[in-house]
Amino acid sequence: MVAATHRRLVDAAMALFAEQGFDSTSIEEVAARAGVGRTTFFRHFPTKEDVVFPDHQGLLQRVDARLATATAATGRTALEEATSIVLEHYLAEGETARQRYRLTRTVAPLRHRELASVHRYFRLFSGHLRRWLGDRPDAALLAELTASSIITAHNHVLRGWLRGEVEDPRVALTAVLEQALSRLPGETATEAAPVTVVVTTGSRDVETILGEVRRALLEP
Amino acid sequence: MVAATHRRLVDAAMALFAEQGFDSTSIEEVAARAGVGRTTFFRHFPTKEDVVFPDHQGLLQRVDARLATATAATGRTALEEATSIVLEHYLAEGETARQRYRLTRTVAPLRHRELASVHRYFRLFSGHLRRWLGDRPDAALLAELTASSIITAHNHVLRGWLRGEVEDPRVALTAVLEQALSRLPGETATEAAPVTVVVTTGSRDVETILGEVRRALLEP
DNA sequence: GAGAGAAACGGTACTGCGTACCATATACGC
DNA sequence: GCGTATATGGTACGCAGTACCGTTTCTCTC
């Protein structure tokens, strides 16, 4: 029953960490409460921190698989769904995710471990974005900016849900992703889609701006 | 000569890490080469990782001080200068920074440590941004998105310089910051500044776009 | 259901990081 | 010069993580 031992170790660790703190709990104690030897703990988890976190390896693979199927044209949908995969994983965890959040907020090593995991998602997203953006000169920068925006937006929603401040995280995620993906070149769809315009200017003169817009559109 | 001992420890550590790797080098060896005892090492650096990194604590304080002086109106300049403070620090380090980069790329614990430091800058920037953005409903999200974009843009340029791919990192930084700060509400300056327009649309019809722009400008 | 092979487990010993504590030497102020 | 603060060296300890070996338990096959 390797799966059962795994579960017992996680439960024992979470309980002890909540009771007496992460630093004040030795792996020997965790193993003892789980009814196994110290060696067995390290057969299931490479480090003391790993017992707290979900299976990011498997999650990363699923996200990677989703992003790998997409092209430049379908990238936006792939990004939304890939981000959703991660969010859904946490939502399915429920109280476990909240318990972990409480731990990572207070224990520095766990927080650092979390940051390392987040960075792997960043690398994954920016890699695929880079692939879709082709050989334009700012492809690398644009890919990294968009990837970090996606991660930040996702974490913003996730954190809100973990704190109980967001009622519908799925709706919230699509909303914030809209902002995160704003730098991406628009879909190639030439249908009569609603027009979205973003204007940044040092001048407020309408006709000057309109002139610049006309020129930018007509002389590419 | 506390400063001299500090320096000797750093030099000894960097040399040994480069020669035989980070994991294969014990603190005892580092201390021995520096001509001090093992205890003295821990009096200068809290952990083995810290000997590799610059004084982020002091750097964070300087960045914080710069950002603290700014208001919503002067925030953009403060962000640019604060980011510049960090970049200049690395540029001044020269070869030391490149040596550290080589190490952090290959040694996982050092990479994680770096990510933790980066996150502290993220918290600092997003905190001040949040302050400047006031009580608009998306203030927190906008602050986090902008902060992560600034950090990502800075690191993009820094990494390029560390790899020797960027000749003038200062110029590159101002250029990428332009993109990173694009989400921020425009300066209140109403002078005749050059007009910059970014248009994202599903339609390519010029007059439709111009109509939208006119409406967006006139009916806020 | 009995035996062979594989997988999981427990125990011991070791390296090395980080901490606590005590003892010593050197610099500085009066 | 003398007392004090500060930097240092040494020893001992707890605990994470690794390596190795022997034992138990599961599983497949006949």
Side-chain angles (χ1 to χ4, degrees), chain A residues 66-77:
Chain A
R66 178 61 190 93
L67 294 176
T69 66
T71 65
T74 62
R76 194 184 183 97
T77 308

Side-chain angles (χ1 to χ4, degrees), chain A residues 21-65:
Chain A
F22 180 80
D23 292 326
S24 306
T25 303
S26 72
I27 290 183
E28 192 135 14
E29 294 178 84
V30 174
R33 177 176 289 211
V36 300
R38 200 179 84 102
T39 313
T40 300
F41 179 94
F42 285 107
R43 282 213 181 79
H44 286 263
F45 305 97
T47 74
K48 186 180 176 184
E49 282 96 27
D50 284 284
V51 73
V52 174
F53 292 97
D55 180 22
H56 276 299
Q57 195 60 38
L59 208 50
L60 278 164
Q61 283 179 5
R62 286 170 55 199
V63 170
D64 189 32

Side-chain angles (χ1 to χ4, degrees), chain A residues 28-126:
Chain A
E28 192 135 14
E29 294 178 84
V30 174
R33 177 176 289 211
V36 300
R38 200 179 84 102
T39 313
T40 300
F41 179 94
F42 285 107
R43 282 213 181 79
H44 286 263
F45 305 97
T47 74
K48 186 180 176 184
E49 282 96 27
D50 284 284
V51 73
V52 174
F53 292 97
D55 180 22
H56 276 299
Q57 195 60 38
L59 208 50
L60 278 164
Q61 283 179 5
R62 286 170 55 199
V63 170
D64 189 32
R66 178 61 190 93
L67 294 176
T69 66
T71 65
T74 62
R76 194 184 183 97
T77 308
L79 290 170
E80 290 169 352
E81 291 187 10
T83 311
S84 179
I85 290 175
V86 181
L87 180 67
E88 289 297 336
H89 181 91
Y90 282 94
L91 296 183
E93 282 189 326
E95 191 52 35
T96 302
R98 291 206 162 95
Q99 200 170 352
R100 182 191 309 125
Y101 176 66
R102 251 168 274 141
L103 265 179
T104 54
R105 268 181 52 90
T106 54
V107 183
L110 293 178
R111 203 164 51 244
H112 298 169
R113 182 66 213 254
E114 179 112 317
L115 289 173
S117 294
V118 169
H119 190 248
R120 292 169 70 186
Y121 289 96
F122 168 77
R123 290 286 300 267
L124 197 56
F125 276 85
S126 70

Side-chain angles (χ1 to χ4, degrees), chain A residues 183 189 196 198 200 202 207 214, chain B residues 179 189 196 198 200 202 207 214:
Chain A
R183 283 197 186 85
T196 304
V198 178
T200 306
E207 294 309 319
R214 186 187 302 273
Chain B
Q179 284 208 46
T196 304
V198 179
T200 306
E207 294 311 320
R214 187 187 302 274

Side-chain angles (χ1 to χ4, degrees), chain B residues 4 12-13 21 28 31 52 62 70 98 118 138 180 184 188 194-195:
Chain B
E28 192 134 12
V52 174
R62 286 171 55 199
R98 290 205 163 96
V118 169
D138 62 341
L184 246 41
T188 50
V195 177

Side-chain angles (χ1 to χ4, degrees), chain B residues 22-178:
Chain B
F22 180 80
D23 292 326
S24 306
T25 303
S26 71
I27 290 182
E28 192 134 12
E29 293 178 85
V30 175
R33 178 177 286 211
V36 299
R38 199 178 84 103
T39 313
T40 300
F41 179 93
F42 285 108
R43 284 212 180 78
H44 286 263
F45 305 96
T47 74
K48 186 180 176 183
E49 282 96 25
D50 284 284
V51 74
V52 174
F53 292 98
D55 180 22
H56 276 300
Q57 194 61 36
L59 208 50
L60 278 164
Q61 283 178 7
R62 286 171 55 199
V63 171
D64 188 32
R66 178 64 190 92
L67 295 177
T69 66
T71 65
T74 63
R76 195 185 182 97
T77 309
L79 290 170
E80 289 169 353
E81 292 187 11
T83 311
S84 180
I85 289 176
V86 181
L87 180 66
E88 289 297 335
H89 181 93
Y90 281 93
L91 296 183
E93 281 189 326
E95 191 53 35
T96 302
R98 290 205 163 96
Q99 200 170 351
R100 182 190 308 125
Y101 177 66
R102 252 168 274 140
L103 265 179
T104 54
R105 269 180 53 91
T106 53
V107 183
L110 293 179
R111 204 164 51 244
H112 298 168
R113 183 66 213 256
E114 179 112 316
L115 290 173
S117 294
V118 169
H119 191 248
R120 293 168 70 186
Y121 289 97
F122 168 77
R123 291 287 299 268
L124 197 56
F125 276 84
S126 70
H128 285 284
L129 276 159
R130 174 72 212 254
R131 180 165 61 84
W132 298 332
L133 289 171
D135 50 2
R136 49 186 290 182
D138 62 341
L141 174 64
L142 192 53
E144 290 171 22
L145 283 175
T146 304
S148 72
S149 293
I150 292 171
I151 307 292
T152 301
H154 168 272
N155 286 347
H156 179 83
V157 171
L158 177 59
R159 205 179 316 118
W161 175 76
L162 288 169
R163 289 178 178 167
E165 300 167 356
V166 172
E167 63 294 348
D168 194 336
R170 294 177 183 88
V171 173
L173 182 63
T174 57
V176 299
L177 275 185
E178 190 71 20

